[in-house]
Amino acid sequence: NQRCIMMSNVQPGVISVDVGGTLGYGKGPGLTSTLERHSHLPAAQVRKIIRERLHTAPQLTEQVVAEVCAMLDMPARFFPYELADSALHLFPNAIPTLKALGNLAPVVTLSNVTRMELNANLACPELSPWVVAQFPSCRTGYAKPDRRAFKAVGSQLGIGMSNMVHVGDSWECDVLGALAAGATAIWLSNDRPVPASNDIDAAAVLIARDLSEVVTHVQHLFTRRNS
């Protein structure tokens, strides 16, 4: 059953939610797609370099840009210091979902984002009533799927990984990363099939076709806890 492979029997002490692709989107070409276009490397390798070097950099210095461009085998002049529209545009059901989740447990955001995109992703006033804290990678120093990104949330909030539920649309970053950290993973599939090649215990994953099913999964977690 793709919608729900298994129900994990945990008590969510905090619900962390990915931002881009899960709660909303940017209308213009993003940093990743722009760098993929200018680099000769495979897209997967480009994304890995961006996650490990750009998303974790506390400041976007000339040295960082030069280093990343060299790793991507592209001229530094092609680096997009300004993006056309990097503002976060929330999906219509994002706020109702956050409100419903917030009634079950504290909600935080956990996102891979560069310093240049930080304000656009975090300066979203609609999020503030429902999100108690935000954990962008350029502040924590760790980018998903690095397990330390998830553990940074638990450490700051004083919550063990067994009591953390993470929601996101990326199988690699959100699902594999959360499971590696010991958290419960809810994958927002948007009707995509489960990736065929993975080395994880599929029974540890909860799958939601849309944000409303995310709420249903978390409600079931609490129901099992209290039963």
Side-chain angles (χ1 to χ4, degrees), residues 28-50:
L31 177 63
T32 299
S33 62
T34 301
L35 294 179
E36 286 178 351
R37 188 168 67 250
H38 289 297
S39 176
H40 300 294
L41 301 179
Q45 188 175 350
V46 172
R47 291 192 293 269
K48 186 174 187 294
I49 292 171
I50 292 172

Side-chain angles (χ1 to χ4, degrees), residues 145-158:
D146 190 331
R147 69 186 68 190
R148 292 174 294 181
F150 301 87
K151 292 186 176 182
V153 176
S155 176
Q156 183 162 329
L157 299 180

